[in-house]
Amino acid sequence: MPSLGELIAPRRMGRDFRWLLASSWTSNVGDGVALAAAPLLIASMTSSPILVAAGAIMQFLPWLLFGLHAGAIADRFDRRRLVMFANAARAVVLAGLCVFLLTGTANIWIVLAVAFLYGTAEVFVDTAGSTLLPMLVAPSDLGIGNARLQAGYLVANQFAGPPLGAFLFAAGTAWPFLLEIVCVLLAVVLISRMATTPVPPRSAGEGERSPVHTDIGEGLRWLWRNPPVRMLVLIILVFNVTWAAPWGVLVLYATEHLHMGAVGYGALTTASAVGGILATLCFGWLERHVSFATLMRVVLSLEVLMHLAFALTSTGWVALVIMFVFGAYAFVWGTISTTVRQRLVPAELQGRVASVNMVGVFGGMVIGQALGGVIAQVWGLTAPWWFAFVGAALTLALVWKPISQIVSAAPVDQSLNETQTNEP
């Protein structure tokens, strides 16, 4: 019977994958702690809805400002070192926040500035980090590799981290951020143990470098001229618009429409995380027995039905069941879409294409939340769900056939070249 370590990170994927996985999981513990502690800190300093919302905006704004640049930089330099440097920068920013908190000099403006600086460093961590897996494992192992990384995000960031962050915040405002510093620095140490030097192929040679904006343009042109990747990015953008429209007012929907209260609203998030964790246990079986094209169609169909179910229900326990199913299929979608994109994109363009994808994700969320707020204000709290249902259904009808073309274009049988292999 295989050991637990073999089940989580098979030996064939190499030691470097295990170091990457350990680093990612550790970092996600810290991020999960901050997920609860940061809003609590802001709410303790101000009752202004605008300033509270500004804390959330700080999560999106750096992606819109620096996302494309982060992708171009990730395609120029040693990606592992870039992750290490950006994580170290996050630790420095958090240390500064702790100094302000411990000396009693922190205020809302300092906290918002810290959130922006931290979010900016996180853009570079996430962009460069997303390019490492394709350089460490074979294309056929990308699915299981992404599933394991997503599992760490669900368990640490969404499930275990937030309650721990809230508990530590109650003990003292600086404690959750001190723990986050420890987690981020430990993540730097773990990823430093990787033996492979994941430098993009074009960075290996010497010569005069082009300006960053030229590299960004090159990535955008490649994406536009590659129909499968272009279609995948557009699908993600549009479905994030429809998804974010009702999600932006979910707290009001849960407390005022479903009458679940604050605890019930928190339970919705927990139900989603539990569904995702269950999906991690099933993903290996799904990948072996069901084609990616079929899974993508099923998942997007469930997305359409999820919006319809939320629009129709007025019962809290039904909403919890819906969120459980959402967490399960959202995990499967995130794993598959990332895997397909990584298989389609050349190593030297992974950073730029990943950054365009993430800018689309956050851009779609900003657009969707703005639309959802207006729609809910004018037509009521269930109206965003109807908007999302109609928009997602129309989009699915348009992309139903192209999904097969996207998946069939993604090779799964080629081997890694010598510069991308590591010792087992």
Side-chain angles (χ1 to χ4, degrees):
M1 184 175 180
S3 65
L4 180 61
E6 179 67 16
L7 289 173
I8 295 174
R11 190 180 303 275
R12 70 177 185 276
M13 299 175 72
R15 284 199 300 265
D16 282 354
F17 170 70
R18 295 186 175 189
W19 289 123
L20 173 64
L21 189 64
S23 176
S24 175
W25 285 13
T26 303
S27 178
N28 270 304
V29 171
D31 290 341
V33 167
L35 192 64
L40 289 171
L41 177 61
I42 293 173
S44 71
M45 293 182 169
T46 180
S47 59
S48 167
I50 294 177
L51 291 177
V52 172
I57 292 173
M58 292 302 105
Q59 301 174 26
F60 307 140
L61 188 58
W63 275 106
L64 301 180
L65 294 177
F66 310 118
L68 297 180
H69 290 80
I73 291 171
D75 286 341
R76 286 183 173 219
F77 301 106
D78 183 322
R79 290 159 172 171
R80 179 193 57 176
R81 292 182 182 274
L82 183 56
V83 171
M84 293 169 59
F85 177 81
N87 264 330
R90 290 205 296 174
V92 171
V93 170
L94 288 171
L97 174 63
C98 289
V99 169
F100 285 116
L101 291 173
L102 292 172
T103 58
T105 56
N107 58 49
I108 185 61
W109 303 110
I110 290 175
V111 172
L112 290 177
V114 166
F116 178 78
L117 293 174
Y118 184 89
T120 299
E122 193 169 34
V123 169
F124 289 87
V125 172
D126 290 347
T127 301
S130 70
T131 69
L132 294 177
L133 183 64
M135 306 186 76
L136 301 178
V137 304
S140 57
D141 282 327
L142 282 173
I144 197 68
N146 280 306
R148 296 298 183 263
L149 292 170
Q150 287 279 337
Y153 170 79
L154 284 170
V155 174
N157 190 292
Q158 299 290 298
F159 191 73
L164 178 59
F167 173 79
L168 290 173
F169 185 83
T173 56
W175 282 113
F177 304 104
L178 289 170
L179 176 60
E180 190 177 6
I181 291 173
V182 173
C183 290
V184 169
L185 291 178
L186 181 56
V188 172
V189 173
L190 290 169
I191 204 170
S192 71
R193 300 296 303 275
M194 287 171 49
T196 301
T197 302
V199 182
R202 67 174 297 173
S203 299
E206 296 294 330
E208 185 177 352
R209 294 190 184 275
S210 58
V212 171
H213 66 81
T214 301
D215 285 0
I216 293 173
E218 180 186 359
L220 291 172
R221 285 191 297 272
W222 182 92
L223 189 151
W224 185 252
R225 294 168 182 170
N226 190 291
V229 181
R230 184 180 68 217
M231 178 58 68
L232 182 61
V233 171
L234 288 174
I235 290 172
I236 292 171
L237 169 63
V238 175
F239 270 90
N240 266 284
V241 172
T242 56
W243 170 81
W247 238 251
V249 294
L250 182 63
V251 62
L252 297 177
Y253 172 85
T255 56
E256 297 181 14
H257 178 73
L258 298 178
H259 306 290
M260 297 181 70
V263 174
Y265 169 67
L268 288 175
T269 303
T270 302
S272 174
V274 172
I277 293 169
L278 178 63
T280 67
L281 304 176
C282 304
F283 185 82
W285 184 92
L286 289 172
E287 187 179 30
R288 291 190 301 270
H289 293 86
V290 187
S291 71
F292 272 12
T294 299
L295 284 173
M296 291 174 80
R297 291 190 178 107
V298 169
V299 165
L300 294 181
S301 297
L302 288 173
E303 175 85 352
V304 174
L305 294 176
M306 181 267 291
H307 294 311
L308 177 62
F310 269 125
L312 293 174
T313 191
S314 58
T315 307
W317 70 264
V318 174
L320 288 171
V321 173
I322 297 170
M323 284 295 285
F324 174 83
V325 176
F326 164 77
Y329 78 72
F331 167 83
V332 175
W333 169 259
T335 301
I336 291 176
S337 61
T338 301
T339 299
V340 170
R341 188 191 73 243
Q342 289 173 341
R343 288 174 177 169
L344 286 167
V345 179
E348 65 271 18
L349 290 167
Q350 287 280 353
R352 279 165 284 181
V353 175
S355 69
V356 173
N357 181 74
M358 290 304 297
V359 169
V361 167
F362 285 99
M365 290 173 65
V366 170
I367 295 170
Q369 288 181 346
L371 287 173
V374 173
I375 292 170
Q377 181 72 31
V378 177
W379 289 289
L381 291 174
T382 60
W385 295 108
W386 288 108
F387 164 80
F389 166 65
V390 173
L394 291 175
T395 303
L396 179 58
L398 292 173
V399 304
W400 189 270
K401 184 176 181 180
I403 284 175
S404 293
Q405 300 168 356
I406 294 171
V407 174
S408 63
V412 296
D413 57 353
Q414 80 259 35
S415 300
L416 290 172
N417 60 45
E418 293 182 1
T419 62
Q420 293 172 295
T421 55
N422 55 3
E423 292 297 323

